[in-house]
Amino acid sequence: MLKKLISRLFGQGNDAPVDGRLSQAKTLLEQGEATKAFAIFTVLAREGSPEAQYQVGQAYLNAEGAPPNLIEGARWTRRAALKGWSRAAFILATLYLHGLPKEVEEGENLSSVFEDYKKREKPQPDYHKAARWAKQAAEAGDMDAQALYGYILSAGPDDIRNPEQALLWYQKASDAGCLQGHLGLGLAALKDAQTYDQYAQAAVELQKAADGGLGTALYLMGVMTERGTGVPQDYVLATSYFGKAAEKNVRGGQAKYGIALMAGKGIERNRDRGESWLRKAALAGDAEAAAILGDWYGRGIDLPPNYAEAISWYRFASELGHAASSHTLGAIYMAGVGVPKDPEAAASWFKLAAEQGDKHATADLANLVLEGEAPKEDGRALMEFYKHAAEEGDMLAAFNFGVCLAQGVGVERDEEEALQWLHKAAEKVVNAQYWYGKMLLEGRGVTRNPVEGRAWIQKAAEAGMAEAETTYADLLVTGVGGPKDHPEALRLYKQAAENGTVSAMFSVAALYGGGHDVPEDRALAREWFLKAAEHDHPAAQLMIARYYANGLGGEKDLEQARVWYRKAEAKNLAQASAELANIGTGGTAPLPADS
């Protein structure tokens, strides 16, 4: 019936030569009559014409004259490839690289051709089958297949990977004028490049692919031009490359172009266009672009901060696996920026960030756990995470595992085992050196050893750890574990104080106040006591009150003395109440003990 219908429509019966009917179908296709062309191709395909089978496959795959159907499209393409049609073999190789349902293979039928295969488990790339069909088409002279086969040999699993052969196929493809061949040669050269000249050689091939309009090549040339790698640095040209790559729907190009527009880098600044391109990149799956949008809204660049929008983009980036965004969300909920403060939510985000590979997040989660602000189950999970990583040789995890054992977080307290892990981590982790030294000083998990404990704390102090600097300075003042050295203690206290350690500010003031092996300087003592007091240090508030009350290191100022006495009194310092009362009756405040 169908044959008669075609005969009436097109004036040719089924007995007409195959070539003539193929030619007629292709002419109809060129004229936009895809449905009529498909009807002829279908008949010829069933008669065994490989070219017609390929065309039927294309119709299903591209929805030209036929409803979209991946399985039927792949099946017909496979039939053509089995008969040696090289273009069909190339298309089939490409499909296998993206992943094809098992029903494509002959003999495996769907219960219905209309069954929704999209709801099935997502098929995985099959490099081995892709290699078979790419090789067939490549050997037949298809230049696109030659480039594709080169890619499979360079990026496929170990058992089929062959970089040397990949280069040969890339070269054949490029010699035939294939842009993908030039791209392949450029990528291969980039992989091994170390010097400027080697990068320049890669740029020669990438430039050819970029000149032909390949989006990936345009993006890579943009990156190289932006950095001045293998080509002269030129921000204007780099941004131009990124813009062209963006138009080709290359996510990285869209993100880079958006950033350039927002910052006015290599192009006139245009915030709205920049944001538009960043959004395109983010919605296409670029996690970094989504994170940048989060930063943009969160920091309020050009406009007031929009925390709801920022959090939305950070969440989107987190869902794409962006660990830093997950960490940022934890910090947002911890601080209560734009949302109610929620330590449990913060712990949840820190935990996710840690699982995504952010090591700083594990430390933040540990702090929450140690402060009792995270659920107990997080403590146990954290413990297991640290234990596994520590056993794998991660020294930072070994330190955190030791702290958990020492504090009894997520497990029974075990200071002996904690000491072992801290000692191991102390080889590389400064914080572990400090903790190990403190435990030796205090005799936790081991017999007290002030000398060795002091040595470890000194090591951490010399590495620049502020807390260790203050503790080691304390030891130099008291002479625990070694000789006293007040001048060196003063130097360390100052170093820590200048980095914001409030207790060190107080200690600097105390040393200058007198009674120590450094020159007395009450003016400097007054200055440092005031700094510590302004940072809410109770003892410093009492001391600065005494300095004002007695005119030490400066003018006497009873009004200021009362202000600071009241602050110290609010911290429940009994001396402050008594001395304030004495000033109120006209008496004098006692001189500071360091006088």
Side-chain angles (χ1 to χ4, degrees):
M1 187 70 182
L2 179 60
K3 295 176 184 178
K4 291 180 179 178
L5 177 61
I6 291 173
S7 178
R8 288 199 303 271
L9 286 173
F10 306 115
Q12 290 189 359
N14 200 41
D15 295 331
V18 171
D19 289 346
R21 286 182 286 161
L22 275 172
S23 178
Q24 183 184 17
K26 287 190 284 187
T27 299
L28 287 168
L29 194 60
E30 291 171 0
Q31 294 172 346
E33 299 285 350
T35 304
K36 293 179 181 179
F38 177 71
I40 299 175
F41 284 137
T42 300
V43 173
L44 292 172
R46 295 188 185 281
E47 291 176 4
S49 167
E51 183 177 1
Q53 290 170 343
Y54 166 73
Q55 292 289 359
V56 170
Q58 286 291 286
Y60 279 121
L61 292 173
N62 300 319
E64 284 188 302
N69 191 316
L70 174 62
I71 291 177
E72 281 301 305
R75 279 179 171 178
W76 282 108
T77 303
R78 185 172 183 273
R79 289 166 188 159
L82 285 169
K83 291 188 176 181
W85 198 260
S86 61
R87 200 60 186 171
F90 164 68
I91 297 296
L92 190 61
T94 304
L95 292 172
Y96 273 120
L97 275 184
H98 285 87
L100 280 175
K102 63 180 182 178
E103 291 83 4
V104 168
E105 305 292 343
E106 297 293 340
E108 297 186 31
N109 297 314
L110 286 168
S111 57
S112 166
V113 294
F114 299 107
E115 184 175 336
D116 189 359
Y117 54 82
K118 290 182 181 179
K119 292 182 180 179
R120 294 166 173 258
E121 184 178 342
K122 185 178 180 181
Q124 298 301 309
D126 189 328
Y127 279 88
H128 293 85
K129 289 180 179 177
R132 174 209 164 168
W133 293 111
K135 182 180 181 182
Q136 175 179 311
E139 290 176 341
D142 188 301
M143 63 180 183
D144 293 324
Q146 290 168 346
L148 181 64
Y149 190 43
Y151 166 77
I152 294 169
L153 292 174
S154 62
D158 291 341
D159 59 334
I160 60 173
R161 191 173 299 175
N162 190 328
E164 292 77 15
Q165 282 293 310
L167 281 175
L168 292 176
W169 285 108
Y170 280 142
Q171 190 64 58
K172 284 186 178 182
S174 64
D175 289 344
C178 177
L179 297 177
Q180 293 287 354
H182 290 299
L183 175 62
L185 288 173
L187 289 172
L190 271 184
K191 184 178 179 182
D192 298 325
Q194 293 182 341
T195 66
Y196 184 91
D197 287 343
Q198 289 171 334
Y199 280 110
Q201 291 174 9
V204 170
E205 296 297 334
L206 291 173
Q207 185 68 65
K208 292 175 184 176
D211 289 343
L214 278 190
T216 301
L218 288 163
Y219 170 71
L220 290 172
M221 285 303 300
V223 172
M224 295 177 75
T225 306
E226 182 182 48
R227 298 175 181 174
T229 307
V231 293
Q233 190 175 53
D234 186 333
Y235 293 125
V236 174
L237 181 57
T239 300
S240 174
Y241 279 127
F242 290 139
K244 291 175 183 177
E247 295 288 353
K248 298 284 184 180
N249 292 320
V250 177
R251 286 188 330 213
Q254 292 171 338
K256 283 281 194 179
Y257 193 49
I259 293 169
L261 284 164
M262 290 182 111
K265 186 177 180 181
I267 195 171
E268 185 178 349
R269 189 169 184 269
N270 190 319
R271 181 192 180 282
D272 291 338
R273 282 187 66 210
E275 182 183 352
S276 176
W277 279 111
L278 275 175
R279 282 177 176 270
K280 284 183 180 180
L283 295 174
D286 191 301
E288 190 63 34
I292 291 169
L293 285 167
D295 291 342
W296 193 270
Y297 280 107
R299 294 173 185 171
I301 302 172
D302 289 342
L303 296 170
N306 185 334
Y307 297 119
E309 187 77 7
I311 290 170
S312 173
W313 283 111
Y314 284 135
R315 284 179 178 273
F316 190 79
S318 172
E319 290 169 3
L320 293 170
H322 197 269
S325 291
S326 302
H327 188 194
T328 300
L329 284 165
I332 286 171
Y333 279 96
M334 191 63 226
V337 179
V339 292
K341 189 174 181 179
D342 188 340
E344 285 199 17
S348 176
W349 285 112
F350 286 146
K351 184 177 178 181
L352 176 59
E355 290 170 352
Q356 291 171 332
D358 190 310
K359 290 188 176 181
H360 295 294
T362 61
D364 288 330
L365 179 58
N367 289 335
L368 282 176
V369 171
L370 291 171
E371 292 165 8
E373 293 189 313
K376 289 183 178 179
E377 55 269 22
D378 282 342
R380 289 190 291 271
L382 182 68
M383 184 70 171
E384 288 302 316
F385 173 80
Y386 284 145
K387 181 179 181 181
H388 176 73
E391 290 171 345
E392 293 292 320
D394 186 324
M395 292 297 100
L396 183 58
F399 161 66
N400 286 317
F401 185 41
V403 172
C404 287
L405 285 165
Q407 301 288 86
V409 176
V411 71
E412 290 295 322
R413 186 190 299 264
D414 188 334
E415 292 184 338
E416 288 186 18
E417 187 178 356
L419 204 66
Q420 293 174 19
W421 284 107
L422 290 170
H423 188 201
K424 185 175 182 179
E427 298 172 13
K428 294 184 178 180
V429 180
V430 173
N431 286 29
Q433 295 167 359
Y434 174 72
W435 267 78
Y436 184 61
K438 285 278 286 183
M439 290 187 74
L440 290 174
L441 276 172
E442 297 167 6
R444 296 176 58 189
V446 70
T447 302
R448 188 171 178 270
N449 189 335
V451 175
E452 189 178 354
R454 173 168 161 157
W456 279 105
I457 289 172
Q458 180 183 2
K459 192 172 183 179
E462 290 171 348
M465 182 183 177
E467 194 172 0
E469 289 172 344
T470 303
T471 303
Y472 182 53
D474 291 343
L475 296 173
L476 291 171
V477 170
T478 61
V480 172
K484 294 182 180 181
D485 188 340
H486 289 195
E488 177 63 9
L490 179 60
R491 185 187 72 80
L492 289 169
Y493 282 138
K494 278 187 174 180
Q495 195 165 291
E498 286 165 359
N499 287 325
T501 303
V502 179
S503 63
M505 297 175 189
F506 178 83
S507 297
V508 170
L511 285 177
Y512 277 129
H516 299 284
D517 297 331
V518 295
E520 181 180 304
D521 190 328
R522 288 290 177 85
L524 281 175
R526 178 170 174 155
E527 180 183 323
W528 281 103
F529 275 135
L530 181 59
K531 285 182 181 180
E534 288 172 341
H535 283 83
D536 217 28
H537 191 288
Q541 291 171 343
L542 177 62
M543 291 299 294
I544 194 61
R546 289 172 175 173
Y547 267 61
Y548 277 125
N550 291 283
L552 297 174
E555 294 183 1
K556 190 173 185 177
D557 190 333
L558 293 181
E559 185 178 345
Q560 279 296 307
R562 291 187 183 94
V563 169
W564 287 109
Y565 270 132
R566 290 191 185 100
K567 288 181 182 290
E569 184 180 38
K571 300 294 193 307
N572 298 317
L573 293 183
Q575 308 100 304
S577 299
E579 293 173 24
L580 178 60
N582 191 40
I583 287 179
T585 59
T588 59
L591 291 173
D594 60 13
S595 64

